[in-house]
Amino acid sequence: MRKAGILAIFGALMPLSAAGDVASASARAQQRDFDASMVVRCAQNPGETLVPCEASVARVPPTAAVVVRFPSGFARTLTFSAGDFLRGNATMSGVGRDTDWRLEGGTYHVRVDDQRFEIPEALVTGD
């Protein structure tokens, strides 16, 4: 009974199809099965200037998993669904749930833990 209650709450918060799409997009990203790549702007540490970073996306509409690689070689995966930023993956930098984001002028401005990203909407959506 307890498991059913947890599943009901999860289902109310995120439709199962969206949850499956997020998992599928993330799995494709882990396998490096990307739909597109481009240079975006990011900063790995607090107070740093945004610099060019490589980004690749795996899309399973309406979701996308964007892997951003910092110049240091460290990478973080950012997940989106239906145009909304969901979270960053857990890393040594943090669990990826301390976030803030906005979509402004066709660019996602995302903060995950202390890291910052500027991701073109077109990379996420494919439009």
Side-chain angles (χ1 to χ4, degrees):
M1 188 71 122
R2 186 174 184 186
K3 185 175 182 181
I6 292 170
L7 290 176
I9 291 169
F10 180 74
L13 296 174
M14 178 182 285
L16 291 178
S17 62
D21 294 341
V22 168
S24 296
S26 295
R28 286 192 55 217
Q30 286 178 340
Q31 296 167 1
R32 298 180 164 275
D33 181 13
F34 296 117
D35 296 298
S37 296
M38 69 173 18
V39 174
V40 301
R41 293 170 28 100
C42 67
Q44 188 171 357
N45 298 303
E48 287 183 346
T49 302
L50 294 169
V51 297
C53 298
E54 291 292 324
S56 300
V57 63
R59 298 184 200 102
V60 179
T63 66
V66 178
V67 178
V68 179
R69 185 164 305 282
F70 294 96
S72 67
F74 175 82
R76 182 155 227 165
T77 302
L78 309 173
T79 54
F80 298 81
S81 184
D84 291 335
F85 172 72
L86 299 179
R87 65 174 304 209
N89 66 318
T91 68
M92 291 187 316
S93 299
V95 296
R97 291 191 179 132
D98 178 14
T99 66
D100 185 34
W101 72 277
R102 71 185 187 285
L103 178 59
E104 185 177 282
T107 301
Y108 286 96
H109 300 266
V110 177
R111 183 192 52 77
V112 179
D113 301 320
D114 290 328
Q115 299 165 347
R116 293 173 291 129
F117 307 88
E118 290 184 354
I119 312 285
E121 183 178 19
L123 181 66
V124 174
T125 64
D127 295 335

